[in-house]
Amino acid sequence: MNKVAAVVVTFNRKDKLRKVLDHVLAQSHAPEWVVVVDNASTDGTDALLASYATDPRVTVLSLSENTGGAGGFSAGMAKGYELGADFLWIMDDDCYPRPDALEELVNGLDKAEQTLGHQMPFACSVVKWTDGGICEMNNPGTTWDWGRLLSLGQQAVLVNHCSFVSVLVPRWALTRFGLPLTEYFIWFDDMEYTLRISRAAPGVQVLTSVVVHDLPENRGVNFGQINHQNVWKYEYGARNELSYRLHHENPFAAAGFAVRVLRGMAQGHVSRALRLRIVKSLLRGVKFDPKPKLPRSVL
């Protein structure tokens, strides 16, 4: 049986984290390891994780500073790779997988690869919100021939990118394409990574693998909703996506993204001061172009 390392990145969500770990450890296809990356939490997460010290399945990485989701996933995936995992199953600290979510991902990926005759770089779950509806933040991007597997009777669709909320990544993808970009810190790191590894082939969303994302509100990204509390996240998002569109697509894609951001802020009546902060972030994206790093055991 393929060995899976689940990777959970957490920051100051100890109550939700316990629920996530309970769900992960109770999977029908049990992960060999559960790597928990604590991004320098200050809410007592360390005491919670200490209660798992006698569970040989749980490995804790306590980081000295908050490296964001990007840094946390990079560290956790590198650790899973070092442990010898065949697959890395990555998720946030507010993601509750159904008991068979991992089993369905592993089987769905294997079946899709056998049908299509080639390796696939990732498999992702269907992400629902707490009310049972689709989670607006976590919809993957489908390929032009997204229904190819559906037409053959499989409960799966082809996708080019997805969020880091229940994604299964095979070891070979890390060996070939490296780790997530730690410099992104937060926002678009998952999009960049899954787009990068799907250069080999499309990924697959397994429709029978389901998780619940326990977000406070069910809404997608909208630059018209910037306020003083959340602007720091949007600054990362503006810089990171502008960088990707410019350096990995073309100047027209970058310009189109910038126009959408400016239009969204105007339609949302975002204050002039906050708009200026986002414009500066877009400009920073012009020179910002970090490069992927391989797990140390590959080097």
Side-chain angles (χ1 to χ4, degrees), residues 65-116:
E65 62 179 347
N66 183 2
T67 61
F73 282 117
S74 180
M77 292 168 72
K79 182 61 177 180
Y81 189 100
E82 177 188 322
L83 290 169
D86 300 305
F87 292 97
L88 292 308
W89 183 33
I90 59 180
M91 70 192 74
D92 285 335
D93 56 359
D94 52 2
C95 169
Y96 312 138
R98 288 186 180 173
D100 62 349
L102 177 56
E103 181 178 4
E104 291 296 325
L105 279 181
V106 172
N107 291 341
L109 178 61
D110 180 64
K111 186 181 294 185
E113 289 183 334
Q114 290 187 32
T115 299
L116 298 177

Side-chain angles (χ1 to χ4, degrees), residues 143-182:
T143 65
W144 67 271
D145 59 342
W146 59 271
R148 186 176 298 277
L149 293 170
L150 274 179
S151 69
L152 298 172
Q154 295 182 31
Q155 289 297 298
V157 296
L158 298 177
V159 296
N160 285 321
H161 61 78
C162 67
S163 66
F164 279 172
V165 182
S166 186
V167 189
L168 189 72
V169 181
R171 184 181 184 87
W172 68 261
L174 275 71
T175 304
R176 179 172 174 183
F177 294 105
L179 298 162
L181 299 175
T182 59

Side-chain angles (χ1 to χ4, degrees), residues 15-244:
D15 294 333
K16 291 184 179 181
L17 176 61
R18 181 183 293 278
K19 187 173 180 180
V20 171
L21 294 179
D22 287 346
H23 281 72
V24 170
L25 291 168
Q27 288 292 299
S28 56
H29 180 133
E32 190 80 10
W33 306 276
V34 180
V35 179
V36 184
V37 183
D38 181 9
N39 247 330
S41 296
T42 57
D43 67 341
T45 291
D46 55 344
L48 167 64
L49 293 175
S51 68
Y52 292 90
T54 58
D55 191 327
R57 298 169 296 177
V58 179
T59 297
V60 177
L61 291 182
S62 297
L63 305 185
S64 59
E65 62 179 347
N66 183 2
T67 61
F73 282 117
S74 180
M77 292 168 72
K79 182 61 177 180
Y81 189 100
E82 177 188 322
L83 290 169
D86 300 305
F87 292 97
L88 292 308
W89 183 33
I90 59 180
M91 70 192 74
D92 285 335
D93 56 359
D94 52 2
C95 169
Y96 312 138
R98 288 186 180 173
D100 62 349
L102 177 56
E103 181 178 4
E104 291 296 325
L105 279 181
V106 172
N107 291 341
L109 178 61
D110 180 64
K111 186 181 294 185
E113 289 183 334
Q114 290 187 32
T115 299
L116 298 177
H118 59 74
Q119 291 181 310
M120 305 184 76
F122 68 89
C124 61
S125 300
V126 173
V127 184
K128 295 187 176 184
W129 195 51
T130 53
D131 65 354
I134 199 74
C135 190
E136 302 292 344
M137 184 72 72
N138 306 120
N139 291 314
T142 54
T143 65
W144 67 271
D145 59 342
W146 59 271
R148 186 176 298 277
L149 293 170
L150 274 179
S151 69
L152 298 172
Q154 295 182 31
Q155 289 297 298
V157 296
L158 298 177
V159 296
N160 285 321
H161 61 78
C162 67
S163 66
F164 279 172
V165 182
S166 186
V167 189
L168 189 72
V169 181
R171 184 181 184 87
W172 68 261
L174 275 71
T175 304
R176 179 172 174 183
F177 294 105
L179 298 162
L181 299 175
T182 59
E183 295 86 351
Y184 271 38
F185 189 77
I186 193 172
W187 203 318
F188 210 76
D189 51 310
D190 46 10
M191 179 84 78
E192 184 280 331
Y193 189 71
T194 49
L195 283 170
R196 189 198 322 161
I197 64 177
S198 65
R199 293 173 193 164
V204 61
Q205 183 183 40
V206 181
L207 304 182
T208 52
S209 176
V210 179
V211 302
V212 174
H213 197 184
D214 189 8
L215 293 173
E217 296 180 282
N218 189 20
R219 62 185 184 185
V221 174
N222 184 341
F223 277 84
Q225 297 174 342
I226 295 174
N227 56 48
H228 287 282
Q229 287 71 44
N230 65 23
V231 64
W232 67 273
K233 290 185 178 181
Y234 281 90
E235 287 178 300
Y236 280 111
R239 181 198 65 176
N240 295 347
E241 186 165 354
L242 191 286
S243 170
Y244 182 85

